[in-house]
Amino acid sequence: MPNMNPKKTPMPEQEPNVRNKNFDEVSYGYTEEMAKNEAERCLHCKHKPCMKGCPVAVHIPDFIQQVAEGDYEGAYRTIKMTNSLPAICGRVCPQENQCEHNCVRGIKGEPVAIGRLERFVADWHMKHGKDEAEKVEPNGHKVAVVGAGPAGLTCAGDLAAMGYSVTVFEALHAAGGVLMYGIPQFRLPKEIVQREIDTLKAKGVEIKTDMVIGKVLSVDELFENGYEAVFIGTGAGLPNFMNIPGEGLVGVYSANEFLTRVNLMKAYKPDYDTPIIHPKNVAVVGGGNVAMDAARTALRLGAESVHIVYRRAEEQMPARREEIHHAKEEGVIFDLLCNPVQILGDENGKVNAIECIRMELGEPDASGRRKPIPVEGSNFKIPVDCVVMAIGNSPNPLIRSTTKGIEANSHGCIVVKDDTMETTREGVFAAGDAVSGAATVILAMGGGKEAARSIDKYIRSKK
Ligand code: FAD
Ligand code: SF4
């Protein structure tokens, strides 16, 4: 008999007033008992609607059945058939818009907690299982992957499994992309990302860091060096600004810079000499996951007040509901329906306030959301010593501007053929945020997988 409890089995987590002062992971994950209890809520639907909502088509009911039977290693193998980064996806995927959105248990209650179960299985494997790198016969062909984020790592892993000799070129000093330098430790512990990277290296993938393609080497030089195809997974790391007065003041950061300094350069550790202001009063501008991450990070750095400044209402916020809920619980102040007009500074050029104007919602705009309209004369100031801009990112133009034949659309995203991920230059493939603009980990992975299949087909067609 299935467990007909309409609610998900709760996942234990740190108390809000404790966790907002440390960088440890917020949620502890399920115990075996909790996982089995939750797995028993699955009805094993014949048509598997949950699977259709998963961009990499994880065999969801099958792995949940294995959890219910206590076969956790079997469940891990089932997930790994289609998802190379389960410990990461179980933590950061927006399941509420994907697999869980389609779950039939969601019609009369809460859907099965598929993400929590995926995380449980991956964590169980990390503690108890073994990663044995399969011996694959080398096929004698070389592929270069540019960018070590989820798109590049997935593409590299899949190609290595087919026998290709793969080299990943990464601009920064550590692999992982946004998983390593964007998403904070308290949501995605870096040890987990590192373990996935180590598994990939054990498969024979070579990762060269501090290699900015377009500067150190060009795409053309990669071909000259014997690589038969090039995959571009360079993400969307170019931060957008509002172009309002005061953005050049000391204490104004892009969310990218703020989070990278804290995550990758460990600014949160007292014994690390990483320059970052430990702000007292912070305004984070934006309403997406990146804004929530920056706000919650600022609290953990010891800020006394952290404001989210967002020009629409809460229902229109693009951030995951869970992130908004966690941010509120931790004490982030939400200033909704207001938009910055300028950032003010003192005589030393340091931020001391942000001036905003109140907004009201008008008719829906091109995005389908009601358009925010300024309310004349409603300006007000919030005293702050730090402003973090989290209003979106665009792909960096470096590679396209140094490589002939790679076309981009008006948003700077690389143009690819949908079914092959091949760019307008023969032998060059691309996926992830560099193609879609800022999106999600699982979509980047799905694109990386698709590209690996196409690269294999392309190279075999040339033999
Ligand atoms: P990236 O992860 O950006 O990786 C690109 C890599 O390429 C980087 O390592 C970069 O250094 C490297 N690179 C760039 N240019 C070059 C070059 N010229 N030469 C060599 N290397 C280069 N998604 C979710 O699904 N859930 C979440 O909860 C979530 N939270 C997020 C929080 C933050 C703060 C941010 C910034 C993003 C978040 N996302 C989330 C989005 C998700 O992380 C991205 O969609 C995903 O990482 C995109 O993967 P990618 O491989 O395309 O690019
Ligand atoms: Fe189980 Fe929900 Fe998938 Fe049905 S839709 S198989 S109940 S997880």
Side-chain angles (χ1 to χ4, degrees):
M1 265 290 283
N3 167 0
M4 292 313 289
N5 191 330
K7 296 253 178 215
K8 289 179 178 177
T9 309
M11 183 159 71
E13 55 189 32
Q14 287 192 65
E15 285 299 318
N17 269 328
V18 174
R19 67 177 193 243
N20 63 8
K21 297 176 193 65
N22 69 57
F23 279 85
D24 297 341
E25 197 171 7
V26 167
S27 308
Y28 296 121
Y30 279 160
T31 59
E32 289 189 25
E33 195 186 341
M34 290 171 192
K36 277 191 179 166
N37 191 50
E38 185 59 21
E40 280 161 8
R41 292 186 65 231
C42 177
L43 303 176
H44 305 287
C45 313
K46 201 165 149 219
H47 299 296
K48 308 179 181 183
C50 48
M51 249 185 96
K52 294 188 185 104
C54 173
V56 294
V58 167
H59 294 261
I60 294 167
D62 297 353
F63 99 74
I64 293 183
Q65 171 84 42
Q66 287 165 306
V67 173
E69 289 164 358
D71 178 11
Y72 308 128
E73 193 56 23
Y76 181 74
R77 281 197 299 271
T78 301
I79 299 175
K80 279 290 265 194
M81 275 163 32
T82 54
N83 183 344
S84 48
L85 307 172
I88 293 166
C89 291
R91 285 172 165 82
V92 304
C93 264
Q95 291 99 5
E96 64 277 17
N97 304 325
Q98 301 177 347
C99 51
E100 293 185 15
H101 179 74
N102 286 5
C103 173
V104 296
R105 289 299 307 261
I107 299 169
K108 284 195 180 159
E110 290 181 351
V112 173
I114 301 168
R116 292 177 187 176
L117 288 173
E118 184 179 33
R119 169 186 166 155
F120 165 78
V121 169
D123 289 359
W124 190 93
H125 171 82
M126 276 201 237
K127 261 202 205 123
H128 307 280
K130 261 199 197 150
D131 286 316
E132 276 163 20
E134 271 177 49
K135 286 263 169 290
V136 182
E137 206 51 45
N139 66 12
H141 295 280
K142 276 171 66 172
V143 178
V145 168
V146 184
L153 294 178
T154 305
C155 184
D158 283 15
L159 286 168
M162 295 179 215
Y164 287 92
S165 158
V166 185
T167 310
V168 180
F169 296 90
E170 166 55 45
L172 296 180
H173 64 270
V178 168
L179 305 177
M180 207 50 132
Y181 63 75
I183 304 179
Q185 176 80 6
F186 56 84
R187 261 199 325 121
L188 179 61
K190 301 306 151 217
E191 307 74 56
I192 289 171
V193 184
Q194 193 52 51
R195 175 133 174 190
E196 301 286 13
I197 293 166
D198 292 343
T199 309
L200 211 61
K201 285 188 185 163
K203 275 188 184 173
V205 171
E206 186 187 9
I207 302 183
K208 292 190 173 176
T209 52
D210 298 315
M211 291 293 285
V212 184
I213 300 302
K215 280 214 185 299
V216 183
L217 277 177
S218 66
V219 169
D220 294 301
E221 282 168 322
L222 291 175
F223 281 115
E224 283 161 23
N225 290 347
Y227 293 101
E228 293 159 74
V230 175
F231 172 78
I232 300 176
T234 44
L238 192 68
N240 299 338
F241 281 89
M242 291 186 73
N243 296 322
I244 55 173
E247 282 181 325
L249 290 166
V250 177
V252 180
Y253 295 92
S254 70
N256 249 28
E257 182 185 354
F258 186 72
L259 290 169
T260 303
R261 281 182 188 275
V262 177
N263 287 332
L264 202 56
M265 297 165 163
K266 302 195 170 55
Y268 63 90
K269 287 195 170 176
D271 50 337
Y272 266 71
D273 186 16
T274 305
I276 194 169
I277 295 170
H278 279 252
K280 273 206 171 122
N281 300 296
V282 184
V284 177
V285 182
N289 283 326
V290 180
M292 298 306 134
D293 281 344
R296 297 172 70 197
T297 296
L299 274 182
R300 285 160 172 79
L301 288 175
E304 288 163 14
S305 77
V306 179
H307 296 251
I308 285 277
V309 176
Y310 181 58
R311 64 195 181 125
R312 301 179 196 253
E314 184 172 330
E315 307 82 70
Q316 282 100 28
M317 280 190 148
R320 294 184 68 188
R321 296 299 108 184
E322 184 183 83
E323 301 313 322
I324 297 172
H325 169 73
H326 275 149
K328 281 188 176 170
E329 271 189 340
E330 289 169 11
V332 173
I333 303 156
F334 280 62
D335 289 311
L336 302 172
L337 284 169
C338 59
N339 204 26
V341 288
Q342 65 171 327
I343 302 166
L344 303 156
D346 63 15
E347 62 284 1
N348 300 317
K350 290 186 179 164
V351 172
N352 62 15
I354 184 166
E355 183 181 333
C356 302
I357 187 164
R358 300 223 180 266
M359 311 291 277
E360 58 189 11
L361 292 178
E363 294 301 310
D365 62 13
S367 72
R369 295 178 298 175
R370 289 178 66 193
K371 191 176 170 174
I373 301 166
V375 179
E376 223 171 286
S378 65
N379 294 37
F380 65 100
K381 288 179 192 157
I382 309 172
V384 290
D385 55 349
C386 174
V387 173
V388 181
M389 287 290 176
I391 55 165
N393 282 334
S394 307
N396 192 308
L398 180 64
I399 295 221
R400 315 183 254 112
S401 61
T402 53
T403 315
K404 278 207 183 102
I406 298 181
E407 280 174 23
N409 65 18
S410 57
H411 300 289
C413 301
I414 296 176
V415 173
V416 294
K417 292 178 203 144
D418 270 353
D419 50 341
T420 61
M421 314 312 279
E422 187 165 16
T423 67
T424 43
R425 162 107 185 239
E426 195 199 320
V428 179
F429 298 74
D433 284 5
V435 167
S436 57
T440 61
V441 172
I442 194 78
L443 288 174
M445 287 173 59
K449 267 188 168 310
E450 190 64 55
R453 277 193 290 270
S454 301
I455 290 171
D456 176 48
K457 219 165 151 190
Y458 167 75
I459 292 180
R460 281 194 292 120
S461 73
K462 292 203 315 172
K463 277 185 204 168

